[in-house]
Amino acid sequence: MTRITGRGRSRWILAAGTAALLALVAACGGGGGGDSFGSTQAPQAKGRQGNVYRSTQVAQGPGVVVAADTAYTAYNNDTAAANSVYNLYPLLPVLAAATVLDNDGTPLINGDMMDGIDEVSKSPQVVQWKIKPGVTWSDGQPWNCKDFYLAYLAGSGKIPGFTAASTNGYGNIGQAQCLNDTTFQATFAQPYADYIGLFSQNNGDLLPAHILEQKTGIPDITKITPQSPPDQLAKLTQFWNTGWNGFDKSVMPASGPYQFDSWVQDQSVKLTRNPAWKGAPGGPATITYRNIADATAAAQALQNNEVQVAANQPDVNSANLMRGLAAQGVKFQATSGASYEHLDMNFKNPLFADKAVRQAFAQCVPRQEIVDKLIKGIQPDAAPLQSLMFLPTQQGYQDSYSQIATGNLAQANQTLAADGWAKGPDGVYAKAGKPLTFRISHTNVPRREQTVQLIQSACGQAGMKVVDDNDPNFLDTRVGSGDFDVALYAWQNDPFVSSHQSIYQTGGGQNHQNYSNRQLDALMTQGSSNLDPNGYLQQWQQADKLMAQDVASVPLYVQPNTVGYTDKIDNVWYQPNLGAALHANEWVVSQ
């Protein structure tokens, strides 16, 4: 699960016996311009061949500039501190993975790098990842089993010191080994239904083990175990946690079709074609991600041809501006999204340790008004989200929240009064001498500022004083340490529900709100290990209901995706999980 303007880890896979799991993948529709929202199906990636993706030959063209909401900051997107879609987007064409998503969300084996992913045994569950011989990093070193083993070590949770965003799936592995340079084998101590999501494209799991070996003096990463000497483990975890922050090309080679060229801190990162790439070369000569935080400013940059693709977070004003640029050759898409906006309450704050306060807050948040004013101008059929585990397009979606997050101010007042809160002369509730005042923290996205304003107005009538904590660096520097009362942001969803485990389990790497329910922990563990598709769904539905009863978070809505781009680029599609530039190597750019 990946946090949009935030962090996460998502999982998917493709192998024998996974047809039932693929039925859980969200169906992604979308409109190809104008106001026809959701009118067309996602086009199949040009490189898709059955259940395999291979880069396809396209015409070579000039460079492209893509607007992004937030700047690139780290090559290792898997740490809890750095994990962000805005690191992920530039990494997608730089770091190869075992699996690739098609535009419709179907997981595909990466045929440029892999010979296959095979479940060779079900009891115990044993999976082999088979790497193509001869594929390399841009510095000429092999891309091989060592890189898989390093990803396993970092995500397994078995070595203290790694700050991995999650241990989903990797923590289920009982034994990991390199059978040879090109075969990584995992024997699962506990079955993992979504094993197809390990070593996936969406996080940049597969980092260069040879670089880590060089920088730490570890001669062979595959010999490292939890019983290795403590000084070796300390060097290993320290470099993995921090050694790939910022920008240093000498330690950031590429395994995909593009490589890093240059970086301007807080402004842009530029990619060029990777000459060591064995597959078909990408279409654009360069891809530059430029940080433009304001969606309307990004649309104006597209209008002025300062950028050629603008795929910022959804905003009614920017969407309308891009819709109006058709005469000058700008195409516009509005498609169904895969990221969901929500409010997380911090259980370390004594206010939100009180369930009545959580209930009253959920009851006063004006979810329908937020959707009506901020989202329906882009997606006319938008509605409040009623689940945290499922999107409306996913099998298993059910209403867990309409009777909890009601938007009923009278009900919110009654809940607080019944819990012993009393309104003061200023109209703010207090209890035991402590006023009911708290911050909602978020990044400086205009839509989120407007969301907080609507909440301030409504919840103010329910006796709550809400402070707007607008911090451009909130998700980079504060959310991971739990420095918030209420956090407003979005998780970028993926095809598999089990990726939520690290967000909501006790002590999970992405559980920034310090929420804990041992019954929920057990349900999620059982669900992620359930190889029966129906049982899998039922257990995650139970988990969703249980979390709703705890009122740990308030779901708001699924973000629609919007992208504007010049008609000089063909093959652009906003893939709901991984953005507009997922298959940028297939873009055909004319002069």
Side-chain angles (χ1 to χ4, degrees):
M1 182 71 60
T2 299
R3 189 165 62 211
I4 191 164
T5 354
R7 358 230 100 133
R9 176 189 293 268
S10 15
R11 302 292 181 208
W12 50 75
I13 309 187
L14 193 66
T18 61
L21 286 178
L22 294 183
L24 306 183
V25 176
C28 302
D35 294 318
S36 55
F37 186 92
S39 63
T40 60
Q41 292 298 309
Q44 182 172 296
K46 288 184 174 296
R48 179 172 178 174
Q49 302 168 20
N51 291 333
V52 175
Y53 178 88
R54 291 184 179 88
S55 54
T56 187
Q57 193 72 44
V58 296
Q60 307 289 280
V64 172
V65 180
V66 180
D69 298 279
T70 301
Y72 166 84
T73 61
Y75 178 80
N76 183 358
N77 189 50
D78 252 2
T79 68
N83 187 262
S84 161
V85 293
Y86 299 109
N87 288 329
L88 176 62
Y89 291 158
L91 289 170
L92 287 171
V94 171
L95 293 179
T99 53
V100 176
L101 279 192
D102 198 358
N103 285 324
D104 66 357
T106 303
L108 307 171
I109 292 174
N110 183 350
D112 288 313
M113 308 297 284
M114 304 294 296
D115 276 337
I117 303 171
D118 301 323
E119 187 179 39
V120 298
S121 171
K122 291 186 179 294
S123 184
Q125 187 183 33
V126 180
V127 181
Q128 292 179 351
W129 284 262
K130 298 179 179 179
I131 304 157
K132 280 187 177 297
V135 292
T136 69
W137 292 91
S138 55
D139 60 8
Q141 294 299 307
W143 189 86
N144 61 17
C145 190
K146 283 189 174 184
D147 304 311
F148 284 69
Y149 192 83
L150 173 59
Y152 154 73
L153 284 179
S156 69
K158 294 177 173 64
I159 296 178
F162 280 114
T163 60
S166 89
T167 60
N168 293 339
Y170 294 114
N172 293 46
I173 297 173
Q175 182 184 23
Q177 56 187 319
C178 289
L179 301 184
N180 50 54
D181 285 346
T182 58
T183 305
F184 176 86
Q185 178 171 288
T187 302
F188 288 81
Q190 186 174 29
Y192 187 57
D194 292 340
Y195 71 88
I196 272 283
L198 301 177
F199 312 111
S200 63
Q201 183 183 36
N202 65 307
N203 280 292
D205 285 341
L206 293 167
L207 296 162
H210 69 280
I211 294 292
L212 184 140
E213 289 176 340
Q214 292 168 12
K215 294 299 181 180
T216 61
I218 294 172
D220 185 353
I221 193 68
T222 66
K223 305 302 182 186
I224 293 291
T225 70
Q227 290 73 44
S228 295
D231 62 327
Q232 277 195 331
L233 298 181
K235 291 177 182 178
L236 166 66
T237 57
Q238 182 177 2
F239 183 83
W240 190 89
N241 291 338
T242 63
W244 281 304
N245 289 345
F247 190 83
D248 179 354
K249 284 198 295 183
S250 69
V251 298
M252 299 176 176
S255 52
Y258 286 83
Q259 63 184 2
F260 283 117
D261 175 77
S262 57
W263 178 63
V264 180
Q265 186 170 1
D266 296 327
Q267 294 184 39
S268 64
V269 61
K270 182 178 181 181
L271 315 179
T272 57
R273 294 190 189 106
N274 174 11
W277 171 246
K278 298 294 195 294
T286 61
I287 304 172
T288 301
Y289 291 85
R290 179 179 161 194
N291 176 25
I292 305 177
D294 184 272
T296 300
Q300 291 168 340
L302 176 65
Q303 182 179 19
N304 298 331
N305 200 35
E306 298 167 19
V307 305
Q308 287 73 55
V309 180
N312 293 57
Q313 288 202 43
D315 176 87
V316 173
N317 293 332
S318 65
N320 288 336
L321 175 55
M322 289 188 289
R323 281 189 178 105
L325 298 179
Q328 67 178 69
V330 168
K331 295 184 178 181
F332 176 76
Q333 291 176 8
T335 61
S336 301
S339 61
Y340 57 96
E341 197 88 347
H342 65 287
L343 295 154
D344 282 349
M345 288 166 272
N346 193 339
F347 281 66
K348 279 193 174 179
N349 183 323
L351 285 176
F352 294 109
D354 183 345
K355 184 176 180 180
V357 173
R358 302 197 304 273
Q359 289 176 318
F361 179 61
Q363 289 162 350
C364 75
V365 172
R367 298 195 304 154
Q368 188 64 58
E369 184 182 13
I370 290 168
V371 169
D372 290 345
K373 291 185 175 178
L374 305 182
I375 303 301
K376 281 195 172 182
I378 305 168
Q379 180 179 352
D381 63 351
L385 180 64
Q386 306 297 359
S387 170
L388 284 171
M389 298 296 185
F390 299 89
L391 298 182
T393 51
Q394 287 180 294
Q395 184 182 354
Y397 179 75
Q398 60 183 2
D399 181 354
S400 297
Y401 281 88
S402 66
Q403 299 304 307
I404 292 169
T406 58
N408 187 321
L409 302 184
Q411 189 179 38
N413 276 282
Q414 291 167 4
T415 297
L416 290 171
D419 192 51
W421 292 83
K423 273 189 181 178
D426 59 356
V428 176
Y429 277 107
K431 184 179 179 181
K434 295 183 179 179
L436 186 44
T437 179
F438 54 87
R439 304 166 295 169
I440 297 181
S441 303
H442 60 95
T443 52
N444 60 334
V445 174
R447 189 191 68 255
R448 290 190 176 139
E449 295 178 38
Q450 294 160 3
T451 298
V452 175
Q453 290 168 5
L454 292 172
I455 293 172
Q456 285 175 317
S457 176
C459 293
Q461 298 176 58
M464 303 180 194
K465 182 179 180 181
V466 177
V467 177
D468 183 0
D469 179 19
N470 182 339
D471 180 354
N473 299 311
F474 171 63
L475 290 168
D476 292 321
T477 62
R478 291 174 48 196
V479 71
S481 62
D483 180 12
F484 61 88
D485 302 326
V486 177
L488 169 62
Y489 61 103
W491 284 112
Q492 184 84 348
N493 213 347
D494 64 59
F496 296 100
V497 185
S498 62
S499 62
H500 290 86
Q501 189 168 3
S502 60
I503 304 174
Y504 299 122
Q505 71 182 0
T506 302
Q510 296 167 292
N511 186 348
H512 309 310
Q513 64 184 123
N514 302 288
Y515 170 54
S516 177
N517 183 318
R518 296 297 181 179
Q519 185 181 353
L520 177 69
D521 295 345
L523 268 173
M524 292 191 295
T525 297
Q526 293 163 14
S528 67
S529 301
N530 197 328
L531 302 183
D532 171 58
N534 291 327
Y536 174 97
L537 277 181
Q538 290 169 7
Q539 285 175 318
W540 283 104
Q541 287 175 322
Q542 291 172 32
D544 195 41
K545 289 285 189 185
L546 182 60
M547 206 170 97
Q549 292 167 13
D550 283 345
V551 203
S553 300
V554 179
L556 295 177
Y557 52 83
V558 177
Q559 292 182 4
N561 298 321
T562 61
V563 58
Y565 58 98
T566 172
D567 60 3
K568 293 184 178 180
I569 306 176
D570 287 335
N571 302 330
V572 177
W573 182 264
Y574 199 118
Q575 205 284 330
N577 305 101
L578 296 178
L582 170 60
H583 294 297
N585 61 300
E586 295 186 349
W587 289 354
V588 177
V589 187
S590 58
Q591 298 286 352

